[in-house]
Amino acid sequence: MNAEVFLISNSPFLLTCNDSSVCRKTLSSAADLRTKRRWLFRSQYMCFGRNGTVRASETRISEELEGVLIRRRVRVVGKVRADVKSKPFDVAGSATESVKLLDSLKDGLLGKDELELETVAVGPWWEQFPKRWVIVILCFSAFLLCNMDRVNMSIAILPMSKEFNWNPATVGLIQSSFFWGYLLTQIAGGIWADTVGGKHVLGFGVVWWSIATILTPVAARIGLPFLFVVRAFMGIGEGVAMPAMCNILSKWIPVAERSRSLALVYSGMYLGCVTGLAFSPLLIHKFGWPSVFYSFGSLGTVWFAVWLSKAHSSPLEDPELQPEEKKLILSSRISIEPVKSIPWGSILSQSAVWALIVCHFCHNWGTFILLTWMPTYYHQVLKFDLTESGLFCVLPWLTMAFSANVGGWIADTLVSKGFSITTVRKIMQTVGFLGPAFFLTQLSHVNSPAMAVLCMTCSQGADAFSQSGLYSNHQDIAPRYSGVLLGLSNTAGVLAGVFGTAATGYILQHGSWDDVFNVSVGLYLIGTVVWNLFSTGEKILD
């Protein structure tokens, strides 16, 4: 037996239609409608089992109101109590009769306790795009701007050092001054994000570093102390970004989508490097080096306006979130409640936490050296000019953007196939350490610029697998305190940036680029051992 049931969620009319016919009716005088609406009903069969249980019934109802098409899907699930045959119903009847029919259907056909109605709003695709992935894309955009504003100095420093007569040691101090401020706000940003919400903290960070970026040319002309301060201020703004992002994604993203979402967000950093390195030489050539800071910094205001209107710190705060998506998020055992106090003793007593801290230091030493010194390496060693240095620097970061998302897909696929999270995190991070170590050791043996660029590109591509390793691990072991935990480990990572960037300038003044790369390789090997001995993917803090 086949029957079809149509329920209009905001109208009292209930229809049953034979076969898969299409019923049309123009409602012009219904009491609850102020304007004319055209209703289009598309039927699907209600499937009955042998025991009289309705397996599924799904209808699609489209409403066109003043030219705007709104679709709703209604599912009816229950148990049949009578032998019911499909019978046409005249929708021209009164609303009162329709209500009576609906009541009788509930009482006779489906038990009241066994009736389940699920209404899901379906509109244009952009309205139905999952809200959690809107949050991910906005975080991706923030990180895109973050590294655009950070990496532009590595290109602009070449004409700036020529104009202001800076030696390599001074250039190293300027590059490292960013990390002074970046270091100050890692733990503070994590505490702030976990207690007041990631939306406010990330919004503050973008506005703060955008203003500092715009002020950089002014500070450079005033003097070195002012430039140091402005770059440190920029670091303060960017320092809260990662803890805030980690906090907000820990509340929005189910575990099964964690690696992919984080990989996409972090690929924003890599594409930010691509964008910054590609456009900075063009802007400098056409408008002078100050134009890079003015143009990149102004983009933050556009992002902030969208962020204020679309983002929320958790699903519970979003009034536009669809019930289905909210149910999916909340059913994934994601911690939504804000943190009231930080259990520092429990956090710092865990060996897995210290594995994160040590490995973050080892990872960031190599990453930040390449981020800040790669254009100089291309210019000094490979003899590329300014434009070539910027363009060839794009390749490694573009590769990282691609491989980070590939790694995220691989990690989530392994988890879905039954591999433990611990095993997946160890595999991905081992690739993220040993891959760069191998390719950096090859740089001293290559004889052509093309091979050097290829080694750099492969090194960075393997490095991006870390996004599915240690960078995903904070939310694994302590989802409620993920912001604080990332602040702790990234503090060690920032220290690597401070010491590594300044030390590179010192090493280059007294040694060679091979010495610089050998230090990075050694730290990658140490990180591999520590990670595989002490890390875990299991939750250790609740």
Side-chain angles (χ1 to χ4, degrees), residues 365-441:
W365 183 283
T367 300
F368 280 132
I369 286 176
L370 294 179
L371 177 67
T372 54
W373 285 97
M374 193 187 299
T376 303
Y377 171 79
Y378 284 166
H379 182 65
Q380 291 182 351
V381 178
L382 305 183
K383 306 304 180 184
F384 294 152
D385 60 28
L386 179 64
T387 301
E388 289 175 329
S389 295
L391 291 177
F392 280 108
C393 282
V394 163
L395 293 177
W397 299 110
L398 194 60
T399 304
M400 290 183 82
F402 173 77
S403 61
N405 287 283
V406 170
W409 178 82
I410 293 173
D412 283 344
T413 300
L414 291 175
V415 171
S416 68
K417 289 184 178 297
F419 286 81
S420 71
I421 297 177
T422 299
T423 301
V424 172
R425 298 291 178 245
K426 288 186 176 183
I427 291 174
M428 305 306 287
Q429 190 54 48
T430 299
V431 174
F433 275 146
L434 295 184
F438 171 77
F439 288 109
L440 288 181
T441 58

Side-chain angles (χ1 to χ4, degrees), residues 421-472:
I421 297 177
T422 299
T423 301
V424 172
R425 298 291 178 245
K426 288 186 176 183
I427 291 174
M428 305 306 287
Q429 190 54 48
T430 299
V431 174
F433 275 146
L434 295 184
F438 171 77
F439 288 109
L440 288 181
T441 58
Q442 303 308 303
L443 282 172
S444 59
H445 305 298
V446 299
N447 299 316
S448 68
M451 290 301 297
V453 171
L454 179 62
C455 285
M456 283 284 194
T457 301
C458 293
S459 172
Q460 294 295 84
D463 178 279
F465 276 69
S466 299
Q467 311 311 329
S468 301
L470 73 88
Y471 281 96
S472 297

Side-chain angles (χ1 to χ4, degrees), residues 144-145 148-149 206 210 214 275 293-305:
L144 181 79
L145 295 176
M148 282 177 62
D149 291 341
V206 173
S210 297
I214 293 172
T275 306
F293 301 100
Y294 295 142
S295 57
F296 287 5
S298 62
L299 294 175
T301 58
V302 179
W303 178 92
F304 184 66

Side-chain angles (χ1 to χ4, degrees), residues 194 243 246-248 250 474-475 478-487:
D194 285 346
C246 195
N247 170 273
I248 198 169
S250 71
H474 308 82
Q475 297 180 35
R480 289 199 72 204
Y481 311 103
S482 57
V484 172
L485 199 56
L486 183 59

Side-chain angles (χ1 to χ4, degrees), residues 1-3 16 18 83-87:
M1 177 183 66
N2 292 325
T16 60
N18 290 321
D83 186 13
V84 180
K85 296 181 179 180
S86 60
K87 179 181 179 181

Side-chain angles (χ1 to χ4, degrees), residues 228-532:
F228 291 152
V229 170
V230 168
R231 293 297 292 176
F233 269 46
M234 181 180 172
I236 288 174
E238 294 201 3
V240 304
M242 288 181 66
M245 176 277 300
C246 195
N247 170 273
I248 198 169
L249 292 191
S250 71
K251 291 177 168 55
W252 276 93
I253 304 299
V255 175
E257 300 174 357
R258 180 170 294 160
S259 296
R260 280 172 289 173
S261 64
L262 284 169
L264 179 60
V265 171
Y266 283 115
S267 67
M269 298 178 64
Y270 309 142
L271 291 177
C273 292
V274 170
T275 306
L277 293 170
F279 284 96
S280 292
L282 302 177
L283 290 171
I284 292 172
H285 180 74
K286 194 172 183 68
F287 303 106
W289 62 263
S291 63
V292 175
F293 301 100
Y294 295 142
S295 57
F296 287 5
S298 62
L299 294 175
T301 58
V302 179
W303 178 92
F304 184 66
V306 178
W307 180 253
L308 283 181
S309 63
K310 297 295 183 181
H312 296 274
S313 293
S314 80
L316 297 178
E317 299 176 13
D318 191 344
E320 299 178 354
L321 186 64
Q322 296 295 333
E324 276 187 343
E325 186 174 8
K326 181 179 288 188
K327 182 179 179 181
L328 170 66
I329 295 171
L330 297 181
S331 65
S332 300
R333 298 194 296 262
I334 295 178
S335 178
I336 302 295
E337 297 299 323
V339 173
K340 295 181 180 179
S341 61
I342 309 296
W344 291 109
S346 299
I347 291 175
L348 296 176
S349 65
Q350 302 291 335
S351 59
V353 172
W354 285 103
L356 268 177
I357 292 172
V358 172
C359 292
H360 212 140
F361 180 92
C362 296
H363 173 267
N364 277 26
W365 183 283
T367 300
F368 280 132
I369 286 176
L370 294 179
L371 177 67
T372 54
W373 285 97
M374 193 187 299
T376 303
Y377 171 79
Y378 284 166
H379 182 65
Q380 291 182 351
V381 178
L382 305 183
K383 306 304 180 184
F384 294 152
D385 60 28
L386 179 64
T387 301
E388 289 175 329
S389 295
L391 291 177
F392 280 108
C393 282
V394 163
L395 293 177
W397 299 110
L398 194 60
T399 304
M400 290 183 82
F402 173 77
S403 61
N405 287 283
V406 170
W409 178 82
I410 293 173
D412 283 344
T413 300
L414 291 175
V415 171
S416 68
K417 289 184 178 297
F419 286 81
S420 71
I421 297 177
T422 299
T423 301
V424 172
R425 298 291 178 245
K426 288 186 176 183
I427 291 174
M428 305 306 287
Q429 190 54 48
T430 299
V431 174
F433 275 146
L434 295 184
F438 171 77
F439 288 109
L440 288 181
T441 58
Q442 303 308 303
L443 282 172
S444 59
H445 305 298
V446 299
N447 299 316
S448 68
M451 290 301 297
V453 171
L454 179 62
C455 285
M456 283 284 194
T457 301
C458 293
S459 172
Q460 294 295 84
D463 178 279
F465 276 69
S466 299
Q467 311 311 329
S468 301
L470 73 88
Y471 281 96
S472 297
N473 195 231
H474 308 82
Q475 297 180 35
D476 295 329
I477 65 177
R480 289 199 72 204
Y481 311 103
S482 57
V484 172
L485 199 56
L486 183 59
L488 275 173
S489 70
N490 207 34
T491 297
V494 175
L495 286 174
V498 172
F499 296 140
T501 304
T504 298
Y506 178 83
I507 293 172
L508 290 177
Q509 223 171 2
H510 300 86
S512 67
W513 278 99
D514 286 344
D515 299 325
V516 172
F517 296 139
N518 288 336
V519 174
S520 297
V521 169
L523 289 172
Y524 281 141
L525 296 178
I526 292 172
T528 303
V529 174
V530 171
W531 184 256
N532 282 280

